[in-house]
Each structure stands twice: as structure tokens, then as C-alpha cells.
Amino acid sequence: MRELRYVGDPVLRTPAEPVTDFDRELRRLIDEMFAVMYQADGVGLAGPQIGVGRRLFVYDISNRKGHVINPELTIDDAGQVVEEEGCLSVPGKETGKPLYAPTARAAGVTLRGVDKLGRPVAVKARGMLARCFQHEFDHLEGTLYVDRLGKDERRKILLQAP
């Protein structure tokens, strides 16, 4: 099974490439991503977090489970919601658990892309699901949640990370 990549790994800062092959290997990768996410007690996982620089992520949050390939994210409600957010790729060096900080995200989004069979996917989301989609989409752009924090809060988090 693939291992999580942590802050400092260049794959996390490199924009992911589109998925072009919808084959058995892609379906295995999605299954493996779910397994890694569950093993780490996460609610979402993007390809770069396991060293795969492709535009896909999986999620299981708020009674919604799925995956999306080559996603596009549209902000439906730009009202800012600030809540605690953490990341499997930004763990504390002492605990190995995600480090959390208040992070602003848009209140509502629509996620569009395709599934592992190339069928269209469209999901409107609010609350924690919207936060999850924005967080995972950021990973595909080479952005971490700490990039959305103020300078002092970001420094505090990164000093605790490995």
C-alpha cells in the first residue's frame, strides 16, 4: 500500500496532471486511496498525498462517500466559514496526528468531474463536505491548508510538523 506524503515533499507543491487512462489500474488506485484514507482516519485524500501527481481524490464525510477525477470546483456561496481544519499530510511530529487551525473556506460549492468509468459527477455541497472538497481540490493545485492561514498561525503549525 502506498504511504502518505508529508509537508516538505515536492509532490504536494506540484499541480497535478489530468487523468487520461480510465483502466483497471485507475480503479485499483481509487480502492487503494480509500484504504490509505481509512487507515489514517481521514475523510478525504488526493492523489498527490500518496505521491500520485494526478487530478483525483476520494472522500467519505457527512454520510457522503465518493471519488472524483479531473474535478472542477465552482464557488456557489462565497460567504466565509471559519472552522478548524487539519490535513493528513501535515501531522504533528510528536503525535503523528493532523495539526488543526481555524481556516476560512467558502460556504457552498459545486464539484464536477467524472468517476472511474468516465461518467459525469456533479455534487453540490455545504458545510463539512464543501470544506472537504475545497481542501482536496487545493491539493490538486499544489496548495496546502496552511497556505490559507495567517503568517503567524502557519509558522506555528509548520514548526510542529516533521
Side-chain angles (χ1 to χ4, degrees):
M1 190 159 52
R2 296 175 198 251
E3 294 186 5
L4 284 170
R5 302 295 181 94
Y6 300 111
V7 64
D9 189 315
V11 73
L12 294 172
R13 294 304 192 169
T14 305
E17 297 291 326
V19 172
T20 56
D21 295 325
F22 291 78
D23 55 13
R24 184 177 304 152
E25 184 177 325
L26 177 64
R27 292 187 295 277
R28 273 196 296 258
L29 174 61
I30 291 168
D31 290 343
E32 190 172 357
M33 289 174 69
F34 274 112
V36 171
M37 180 184 74
Y38 291 138
Q39 183 178 22
D41 291 325
V43 296
L45 187 76
Q49 290 183 274
I50 57 168
V52 177
R54 294 286 178 251
R55 296 187 69 79
L56 76 156
F57 67 80
V58 299
Y59 61 92
D60 189 348
I61 186 169
S62 304
N63 297 316
R64 301 288 295 269
K65 176 182 175 179
H67 68 277
V68 65
I69 299 164
N70 299 330
E72 296 174 9
L73 190 74
T74 305
I75 304 297
D76 298 331
D77 181 347
Q80 295 289 290
V81 177
V82 178
E83 291 190 7
E84 291 287 308
E85 188 170 321
C87 179
L88 296 174
S89 292
V90 186
K93 56 186 155 197
E94 303 278 326
T95 66
K97 301 288 184 193
L99 297 167
Y100 289 85
T103 308
R105 295 285 186 180
V109 300
T110 298
L111 180 71
R112 288 184 177 83
V114 296
D115 70 9
K116 62 188 173 186
L117 300 176
R119 298 177 300 205
V121 171
V123 182
K124 285 192 166 292
R126 297 189 67 77
M128 292 306 291
L129 186 60
R131 177 171 297 276
C132 177
F133 286 171
Q134 291 169 82
H135 180 105
E136 300 310 329
F137 187 84
D138 274 358
H139 276 298
L140 304 180
E141 299 295 310
T143 301
L144 297 173
Y145 86 101
V146 294
D147 300 331
R148 296 185 173 279
L149 304 177
K151 179 181 169 186
D152 291 339
E153 188 68 24
R154 179 174 45 251
R155 185 173 186 275
K156 179 180 149 190
I157 293 290
L158 293 176
L159 285 173
Q160 296 176 62

